Amino acid sequence: MVENYKLNPNLTKTAAVAEWLKQRIDWQIYLPNQRVPSVRKLAKLMGISSFTVVQAYEQLVATNVLVAKPSSGYYVSEQTRLVPPNRDKKVAPKQPVIDTRWLVQQVSSDIPHHRSPGVGTLPRDWIRNDKMEWAIRQVTQQADGFIYDYSAVQGYLPLRQQLVQQLNVLGMQTYTDNVITTAGISHAITMIAQLLTEVGDTVMVDGPGWFWLSSCLQQQGLNVVAVERDHQGPDIEQMQQLFETYHPKLYLTNSVLHNPTSYNLHPARAHQVLNLIHQYDAYIFEDDLYAAFLPSGQVLRYASLDQFERVFYATGFSKSMSSGWRVGLLVCPDHFIDDVLRIKTLSNMSTPEFGERVIHHLWTHGEYRRQIKKVQQQLYRAHERMRIALPKIGLVYPEHTQAGLFVWVDTHQDTIQLALDAYSDGWLVAPGHLFHPDASASTYMRLNVSTSSNAFLAWLGDYLNH
């Protein structure tokens, strides 16, 4: 095989060198305990500085991909897991496997937002808050009082009080003692799954639904089944069949600006779902992470109808304010509070109060409301642009889509291959099979309206029409 020393132009040079070498380890060009090219040699072949190669190699040492041996060089770690080579065949380069792990890795890479219509976050300039540094300074001035001690297990009290006030306005009556802070929605999900299920139990999700969710639950040894979701909510007949067949203990869903469709829940469907939940002695985990993007908060949630009898409700700020703070809030039914607090104590002990205080400052001083209003306006304009642009390339803008972060588009082609071809051309997309727990083939793809640029839509149009 003729070696290719061309780097990925969509990454920083350091990240591109690391990617280049990891690919060749995956392809078994370099095997465990084998020496990789010297810093000087690789720098010369790639036409980059030795300093860049050293940075990349040291990152790979830090992640146990490489081992540095003084006066000898860098070697592939013995712990690197590889498929045993077939010595009768030449090793051919692999295409990436488009799965949840791969997409999460790419989202966390240096691929810029304007090349990433498949990401699940807003561009930084959309959520940048000029008052963030002010809020941090305000909290820092009070640091002596709390920074050296464990935070309260239940979380920062004023932030929990603020959520209770907000939920009361939305028709959800709860109390501060029922609210627990979490390290984002994902932390809340893992705690409730641990609370209500055991290995081998079945849980229900939406199909399509958030790709991380299914993979996380499967990783915990749970059987994940999907109920088909349309613009009104889950298919009730199918849901009843799933309850009768698998007896799932938990249904995890978005009722507002559903990921990936940006649909809202219809009131009649919500009543039907809750009837089944009570009939089959199950619970709902309601992920309301995208609620902030609604111009009006008066949209029905399961918790509005159920009033936290069989609904665990979670929200957070990672999409609307800052992913890095990892601040979430979980509301629990009364009789589960002590159990959830015990799980939080034994897993995280507590969540960092500093971030919770910063979020509280921004929320209570009106900065969060002003920022969200700006984002809502930008999302509305982005959806109007997509409503016009998609038909021009032969695609339909779904009729019932709300002005959330996503649009769920039918390409009428296999989106796994589309995603591979897009990646080869420097685009990161989210194909439809990721949004089903069985990874079944799909012609759909999730587009982030804030990062789907005109250049990508032009590429997509050319791809679909050739």
Side-chain angles (χ1 to χ4, degrees):
M1 182 179 73
V2 177
E3 184 58 280
N4 176 14
Y5 293 96
K6 183 179 178 181
L7 295 177
N8 186 339
N10 298 310
L11 302 177
T12 65
K13 288 183 178 179
T14 299
V17 173
E19 178 192 65
W20 181 91
L21 189 55
K22 284 190 291 185
Q23 284 178 343
R24 279 141 187 84
I25 293 172
D26 288 341
W27 298 341
Q28 302 178 30
I29 295 173
Y30 302 115
L31 300 174
N33 296 316
Q34 183 177 347
R35 189 172 185 264
V36 299
S38 69
V39 169
R40 183 176 298 177
K41 178 181 178 180
L42 193 59
K44 183 177 180 180
L45 290 169
M46 291 183 166
I48 58 178
S49 70
S50 296
F51 177 74
T52 298
V53 178
V54 169
Q55 282 188 310
Y57 278 12
E58 287 300 318
Q59 287 182 8
L60 295 175
V61 169
T63 53
N64 296 319
V65 176
L66 297 181
V67 174
K69 297 184 178 181
S71 303
S72 179
Y74 293 87
Y75 293 76
V76 179
S77 171
E78 186 176 3
Q79 299 177 359
T80 301
R81 294 183 178 181
L82 295 171
V83 176
N86 184 337
R87 300 185 184 278
D88 295 328
K89 296 181 180 179
K90 293 183 178 180
V91 176
K94 301 176 183 177
Q95 286 185 308
V97 176
I98 307 296
D99 59 9
T100 299
R101 183 185 68 170
W102 178 87
L103 185 59
V104 171
Q105 288 174 339
Q106 300 309 314
V107 168
S108 303
S109 72
D110 293 329
I111 299 177
H113 260 80
H114 70 274
R115 305 286 299 185
S116 305
V119 297
T121 56
L122 291 167
R124 186 179 300 175
D125 60 336
W126 281 42
I127 60 173
R128 184 182 296 278
N129 192 310
D130 295 336
K131 293 293 185 178
M132 180 69 77
E133 293 182 3
W134 165 81
I136 292 172
R137 288 195 300 270
Q138 293 294 310
V139 173
T140 302
Q141 292 174 3
Q142 305 166 1
D144 286 344
F146 69 89
I147 202 70
Y148 299 105
D149 299 320
Y150 283 117
S151 304
V153 173
Q154 197 150 353
Y156 185 50
L157 177 60
L159 181 63
R160 293 187 287 124
Q161 291 172 332
Q162 182 68 18
L163 177 67
V164 169
Q165 294 176 14
Q166 177 73 15
L167 295 182
N168 286 343
V169 171
L170 298 176
M172 292 175 272
Q173 303 299 316
T174 189
Y175 305 95
T176 306
D177 288 344
N178 292 64
V179 181
I180 300 169
T181 62
T182 65
I185 297 288
S186 55
H187 180 209
I189 289 170
T190 54
M191 286 198 300
I192 300 309
Q194 183 178 348
L195 171 72
L196 296 179
T197 64
E198 299 178 356
V199 173
D201 285 345
T202 295
V203 293
M204 189 188 303
V205 298
D206 291 322
W210 181 25
F211 61 83
W212 178 93
L213 178 61
S214 295
S215 296
C216 171
L217 297 170
Q218 290 167 341
Q219 183 70 24
Q220 294 185 51
L222 300 174
N223 177 39
V224 182
V225 296
V227 57
E228 293 182 11
R229 170 83 181 243
D230 61 20
H231 66 277
Q232 293 188 331
D235 183 309
I236 294 301
E237 290 186 5
Q238 186 192 16
M239 177 175 269
Q240 183 161 11
Q241 291 174 356
L242 291 173
F243 272 120
E244 292 177 351
T245 303
Y246 297 101
H247 308 288
K249 298 181 178 181
L250 186 62
Y251 169 48
L252 302 100
T253 185
N254 308 114
S255 53
V256 175
L257 295 179
H258 171 252
N259 178 8
T261 64
S262 287
Y263 294 155
N264 289 338
L265 179 68
H266 191 277
R269 198 70 61 88
H271 282 282
Q272 291 173 311
V273 170
L274 283 171
N275 287 338
L276 291 177
I277 290 294
H278 283 266
Q279 179 181 344
Y280 290 95
D281 191 25
Y283 290 87
I284 293 176
F285 183 98
E286 186 169 26
D287 172 2
D288 207 19
L289 185 59
Y290 300 95
F293 299 145
L294 281 171
S296 170
Q298 297 304 322
V299 176
L300 187 70
R301 280 94 165 163
Y302 288 110
S304 306
L305 296 174
D306 179 78
Q307 295 299 319
F308 306 106
E309 182 180 350
R310 286 187 172 267
V311 174
F312 293 84
Y313 173 94
T315 190
F317 305 90
S318 62
K319 304 298 182 185
S320 56
M321 186 174 292
S322 171
S323 299
W325 287 118
R326 305 303 300 154
V327 176
L329 292 154
L330 172 66
V331 185
C332 302
D334 286 333
H335 55 289
F336 285 121
I337 291 295
D338 291 341
D339 292 330
V340 176
L341 284 173
R342 184 182 70 254
I343 292 172
K344 181 180 178 182
T345 302
L346 294 177
S347 58
N348 284 55
M349 181 62 76
S350 62
T351 44
E353 189 172 310
F354 192 94
E356 294 172 4
R357 285 176 175 251
V358 171
I359 296 296
H360 177 256
H361 263 72
L362 292 169
W363 196 358
T364 57
H365 286 77
E367 300 304 329
Y368 182 56
R369 180 184 58 81
R370 283 187 282 272
Q371 175 182 318
I372 289 302
K373 185 176 181 180
K374 178 185 71 173
V375 171
Q376 290 170 352
Q377 293 170 345
Q378 290 173 304
L379 284 174
Y380 177 81
R381 290 193 293 268
H383 274 274
E384 290 301 298
R385 179 175 65 88
M386 296 291 279
R387 193 187 304 273
I388 296 171
L390 289 178
K392 291 182 178 179
I393 59 174
L395 299 179
V396 175
Y397 178 90
E399 178 184 0
H400 300 283
T401 303
Q402 304 297 314
L405 189 53
F406 307 117
V407 60
W408 185 240
V409 178
D410 188 359
T411 68
H412 306 288
Q413 294 191 20
D414 175 13
T415 50
I416 297 178
Q417 187 58 50
L418 187 155
L420 289 168
D421 293 338
Y423 184 67
S424 297
D425 287 344
W427 301 102
L428 177 65
V429 303
H433 78 287
L434 294 181
F435 299 86
H436 296 270
D438 62 358
S440 55
S442 173
T443 61
Y444 282 82
M445 65 188 300
R446 186 191 74 179
L447 293 180
N448 182 329
V449 298
S450 70
T451 61
S452 294
S453 63
N454 291 333
F456 169 73
L457 293 176
W459 176 92
L460 182 60
D462 289 341
Y463 180 89
L464 295 175
N465 292 294
H466 286 87

